[in-house]
Amino acid sequence: MATSGLSAQPAAEERLLRERLQASGYLADEDLATTVWLASALQRPLLIEGDAGVGKTALATALAQSQGATLVRLQCFEGLDLAQAAYEWNYGRQLMAIRLNETQTDGAARVREADLFSREYLLERPLLRAISQTGPCVLLIDEIDRADEAFEAFLLEVLADYQITVPEIGTLCATHIPQVILTSNGTRELSDALRRRCLYHYLDYPTLAREIAIVKSALPQADSHLVEEAVQFVQRLRREDLAKIPGIAETLDWVSALFKLGHNNLPEDMANVLGTLGCLLKTREDRFLMGPDRLRQLVEGRRSVGVAEKGAAQTQVAV
């Protein structure tokens, strides 16, 4: 007979992982926790895609904290190359060694080229630093979609075999395999070769109940009514035709701002709400879209038609 879910021991380990993440301030749902556990058990990298602000980077931070592991972060950007991501030679130190050697008296040992291109003259960048760790390590390769395809090709060796080849030295292998988390905002399509080497999870915006729990966990001092009303407002705001949809980080900023202003619930005066929207809306177009009338409709829970209705339907499916 077919069975569903994890067996007893893996299920217990997955629950323990969720509890440790929660203790580190990250509330993961069951699907995400299972995928993270499998990535660790199979020693496979985990690719997490989703919109900006849904908690992809925060997951790696919480995972490292929950395991007492070293967090090594590689922030990707256009033009990222080997020297910035993996290693480069310490040319200044090599030059100093050559000059010191030249000052030696006759008969002293001469520095050899092989000595100059040894491990001690390597400057470790994030990838080499991660595979050189002797203890638990979480390697976060953040926003991989911002890097060039050429960098992806180099990354395949690291993700497949947890090793880096340095032509002058040879292959440097990991002594303790790091847990690798790659994040992508989906600004470009990633290669099939990269995806094949990773487990995959799409991280969507949280459901209403989960986001309320996240905010209450992060801001326990805020009034419960304020948190619930603010999160409901943000959930409705995400269904609007915005250029940049506010993420969880923006929700936390907004609730924190309202709390610091002394509010125990959403203000009835729309002028007080408008003054705080800089926490949620990060473009000129979005800010001007939210006039007092539309803002009042969202606060009261009324939805517009068209894009808003489409977003509501998508949210129901995601939940």
Side-chain angles (χ1 to χ4, degrees):
M1 179 182 297
T3 59
S4 60
L6 299 173
S7 59
Q9 182 175 350
E13 293 176 357
E14 184 266 343
R15 271 196 312 273
L16 179 60
L17 173 62
R18 290 183 68 183
E19 292 171 359
R20 288 177 174 175
L21 286 174
Q22 183 171 351
S24 300
Y26 193 95
L27 302 183
D29 60 26
E30 185 176 352
D31 287 346
L32 176 59
T34 299
T35 306
V36 172
W37 180 84
L38 284 172
S40 176
L42 299 175
Q43 295 185 333
R44 294 283 298 279
L46 172 59
L47 171 61
I48 302 179
E49 283 191 314
D51 292 338
V54 295
K56 302 185 297 296
T57 301
L59 171 63
T61 303
L63 185 61
Q65 183 179 344
S66 67
Q67 297 178 347
T70 300
L71 176 65
V72 179
R73 178 175 179 175
L74 173 61
Q75 178 62 52
C76 298
F77 54 87
E78 186 177 354
L80 178 66
D81 60 20
L82 180 66
Q84 297 162 314
Y87 71 88
E88 65 178 321
W89 291 106
N90 191 337
Y91 298 113
R93 188 178 176 190
Q94 288 172 323
L95 182 59
M96 183 179 295
I98 293 173
R99 289 181 175 175
L100 287 174
N101 184 76
E102 290 173 348
T103 63
Q104 298 296 323
T105 58
D106 292 342
R110 309 292 294 180
V111 65
R112 299 175 302 169
E113 182 178 352
D115 297 329
L116 293 174
F117 290 95
S118 57
R119 182 67 184 268
E120 64 177 308
Y121 288 97
L122 271 183
L123 290 174
E124 292 183 352
R125 300 310 183 202
L127 295 180
L128 181 56
R129 190 182 311 130
I131 69 168
S132 300
Q133 297 293 319
T134 56
C137 174
V138 174
L139 170 60
L140 169 61
I141 303 176
D142 211 9
E143 297 183 318
I144 181 61
D145 52 318
R146 294 185 181 274
D148 302 324
E149 292 183 12
F151 177 72
E152 273 190 50
F154 164 75
L155 196 58
L156 297 180
E157 179 187 18
V158 180
L159 299 182
D161 302 313
Y162 298 100
Q163 65 183 32
I164 294 176
T165 300
V166 182
E168 296 86 349
I169 297 178
T171 300
L172 304 177
C173 300
T175 56
H176 192 286
I177 294 178
Q179 187 160 2
V180 183
I181 304 290
L182 299 94
T183 72
S184 171
N185 294 334
T187 58
R188 72 169 177 85
E189 184 59 39
L190 303 177
S191 69
D192 291 341
L194 178 67
R195 290 182 180 276
R196 281 198 303 269
R197 283 163 173 78
C198 303
L199 300 190
Y200 178 82
H201 185 84
Y202 183 83
L203 193 58
D204 206 347
Y205 292 101
T207 61
L208 175 62
R210 182 165 171 260
E211 188 163 13
I212 289 175
I214 290 171
V215 176
K216 286 184 176 180
S217 175
L219 302 171
Q221 69 277 21
D223 188 273
S224 181
H225 290 93
L226 172 63
V227 171
E228 292 172 5
E229 291 181 359
V231 172
Q232 289 175 29
F233 173 85
V234 173
Q235 292 262 332
R236 291 191 288 266
L237 184 62
R238 291 190 183 123
R239 299 165 189 159
E240 298 297 299
D241 190 15
L242 300 176
K244 185 184 183 304
I245 298 175
I248 301 173
E250 283 76 23
T251 304
L252 290 170
D253 286 344
W254 191 47
V255 175
S256 181
L258 292 171
F259 172 75
K260 289 183 180 297
L261 289 172
H263 298 297
N264 293 324
N265 47 39
L266 280 186
E268 294 183 3
D269 186 352
M270 290 302 102
N272 291 333
V273 179
L274 283 169
T276 63
L277 286 186
C279 297
L280 293 174
L281 305 177
K282 303 301 178 69
T283 70
R284 182 172 180 268
E285 294 78 9
D286 291 346
R287 179 61 184 82
F288 281 98
L289 183 67
M290 286 296 112
D293 292 339
R294 184 69 195 118
L295 191 61
R296 185 174 293 105
Q297 290 175 349
L298 288 177
V299 170
E300 294 173 356
R302 294 198 296 268
R303 300 175 182 172
S304 61
V305 298
V307 175
E309 293 296 334
K310 179 181 178 182
Q314 292 174 339
T315 302
Q316 292 297 324
V317 172
V319 173

